[in-house]
Amino acid sequence: MANILDSVDQRTQLVGENRLELLIFQLNSSQLFAINVFKVKEVVKLPRLNSLPGSHPNITGVANIRGQSIPVIDLRQAIGMRPVDTDGESNMIITEYNRSVQAFLVGQVMNIENLTWRDIQPPPSQVGKNNYLTALTKLQRDGVDRLVSIIDVEKVLAEIIDYDIQISEEVLDNNIVNHFHGRKVLIVDDSSTARAQIRDTLSQLGLQIIEASDGLMALNLLKSWCDEGKNINEEILMMFTDAEMPEMDGYKLTHEIRNDPRMNDLYIALNTSLSGSFNEAMVKKVGCDRFISKFQPDLLVEVVQDRLRAVL
């Protein structure tokens, strides 16, 4: 299985070209699921797990991988299905999200698919707000279109890890904090959980939050303001955008904004769970102003305070 991922580092040029690669797997059923390759560190056969008494019900144990203890989440159970039946097809997908490493227990891992974000669609609104999907796509298998469900890992982790949105008092700048009231910030992220984390943090400052669930939606909103003759920097203080989103990723969104003279000076912070070193390079390439790895409430506040100081 390791050879499936041995060239991931050479594939990073796909990001920024509105492309992505998905790791396709099953959860002991014929249904296909996926997560983005860039969040995957390694895929291994399920080793012996050590129990972790008192842990969250969705954590099935701890694996020792080259001296590192990694919590293993039963992904099937975490998204509301019955627990995985471990067998010879069981695998662990080791991932890094929000500066933490965890593994997901899955069934058979199939392959990697190279797609464009235009191939990715948001889940239909009829499925409700409590689903565990960020998007859907279709793949050809034996001449038949197969639906692939892309997991909202942010939501899975948020139900296990207690993300604190409390802002440290020493971070707040009392000289400017009252100037936040009435100002607006645009948040662009396909994960409703990720948007809620930012919204609930920044709302404490009195900021008004505008949300978009993908890059294209955000770009169309910004263009509509420009078409109406509005000054973007008077409409919003700044924009936080995720990297990976259906329709248009955050890198492409930033590129489009920077190439439109009506809004090319909009302050943009890339806020993502992808690896820091890679994103810092992409920030320079596409022209973001800041990079923030999820989820750091104090850092979010520091960024908006820095931006507010610059415009006061």
Side-chain angles (χ1 to χ4, degrees):
M1 184 55 62
N3 63 359
I4 286 185
L5 299 173
D6 60 7
S7 63
V8 167
D9 289 341
Q10 284 73 48
R11 294 168 173 167
T12 56
Q13 68 271 16
L14 296 178
V15 183
E17 302 298 331
N18 216 40
R19 301 188 68 84
L20 78 161
E21 288 189 315
L22 295 178
L23 181 65
I24 310 298
F25 58 90
Q26 295 178 326
L27 294 175
N28 291 124
S29 69
S30 60
Q31 187 174 352
L32 299 180
F33 295 88
I35 61 174
N36 194 302
V37 164
F38 289 108
K39 294 178 179 177
V40 175
K41 293 173 65 70
E42 190 175 0
V43 177
V44 298
K45 284 293 184 182
L46 180 66
R48 179 181 176 275
L49 300 180
N50 298 308
S51 63
L52 195 63
S55 62
H56 191 279
N58 291 338
I59 296 180
T60 193
V62 175
N64 189 296
I65 304 295
R66 291 181 291 280
Q68 182 179 11
S69 295
I70 300 175
V72 181
I73 299 166
D74 184 334
L75 188 54
R76 183 179 171 96
Q77 178 170 303
I79 64 173
M81 303 168 72
R82 64 177 179 80
V84 166
D85 295 324
T86 57
D87 55 27
E89 295 292 337
S90 297
N91 290 277
M92 281 193 339
I93 302 176
I94 302 175
T95 66
E96 184 171 359
Y97 283 82
N98 303 351
R99 308 172 318 283
S100 68
V101 175
Q102 54 281 306
F104 293 103
L105 172 60
V106 301
Q108 184 178 4
V109 177
M110 315 294 288
N111 64 307
I112 289 173
E113 291 286 343
N114 184 333
L115 302 168
T116 75
W117 280 107
R118 288 185 296 274
D119 300 320
I120 312 299
Q121 300 297 323
S125 58
Q126 292 89 340
V127 301
K129 296 181 179 180
N130 295 322
N131 71 87
Y132 289 87
L133 306 181
T134 55
L136 300 168
T137 191
K138 290 182 180 179
L139 297 177
Q140 278 267 325
R141 287 290 188 273
D142 301 321
V144 178
D145 279 342
R146 295 284 304 278
L147 192 66
V148 180
S149 301
I150 302 173
I151 302 292
D152 185 351
V153 179
E154 311 267 7
K155 180 172 182 177
V156 170
L157 293 178
E159 293 182 353
I160 297 173
I161 302 169
D162 184 19
Y163 289 110
D164 187 2
I165 64 167
Q166 184 173 351
I167 302 168
S168 302
E169 278 194 29
E170 59 269 22
V171 172
L172 292 174
D173 184 345
N174 292 323
N175 293 319
I176 65 170
V177 70
N178 290 333
H179 292 278
F180 280 119
H181 291 276
R183 293 184 181 268
K184 301 173 184 177
V185 170
L186 175 61
I187 300 171
V188 192
D189 200 304
D190 60 328
S191 169
S192 60
T193 297
R195 293 198 307 274
Q197 289 171 341
I198 303 175
R199 181 184 66 238
D200 293 347
T201 300
L202 298 185
S203 294
Q204 298 174 74
L205 302 176
L207 285 163
Q208 297 181 33
I209 306 303
I210 303 170
E211 299 181 37
S213 57
D214 64 65
L216 184 59
M217 181 185 298
L219 183 63
N220 288 338
L221 175 62
L222 293 169
K223 284 184 173 181
S224 71
W225 288 341
C226 291
D227 292 342
E228 292 169 9
K230 295 179 179 178
N231 184 314
I232 291 296
N233 290 311
E234 292 177 357
E235 285 297 310
I236 56 175
L237 179 65
M238 62 175 297
M239 179 179 80
F240 288 96
T241 180
D242 189 19
E244 312 167 271
M245 293 175 289
E247 301 282 359
M248 180 181 290
D249 65 30
Y251 307 111
K252 181 68 172 176
L253 170 61
T254 302
H255 175 79
E256 293 293 325
I257 291 171
R258 293 296 182 237
N259 282 276
D260 189 326
R262 301 174 299 174
M263 54 181 167
N264 59 7
D265 58 348
L266 175 64
Y267 193 92
I268 303 172
L270 187 72
N271 184 53
T272 174
S273 55
L274 289 168
S275 71
S277 59
F278 170 68
N279 273 300
E280 286 165 8
M282 286 302 300
V283 161
K284 294 178 181 178
K285 179 178 178 181
V286 303
C288 291
D289 296 286
R290 290 286 295 268
F291 162 69
I292 312 170
S293 59
K294 298 176 179 177
F295 169 64
Q296 302 180 77
D298 284 351
L299 186 53
L300 285 171
V301 172
E302 287 178 6
V303 169
V304 296
Q305 288 185 153
D306 286 346
R307 175 56 182 159
L308 183 58
R309 290 189 195 99
V311 301
L312 285 178

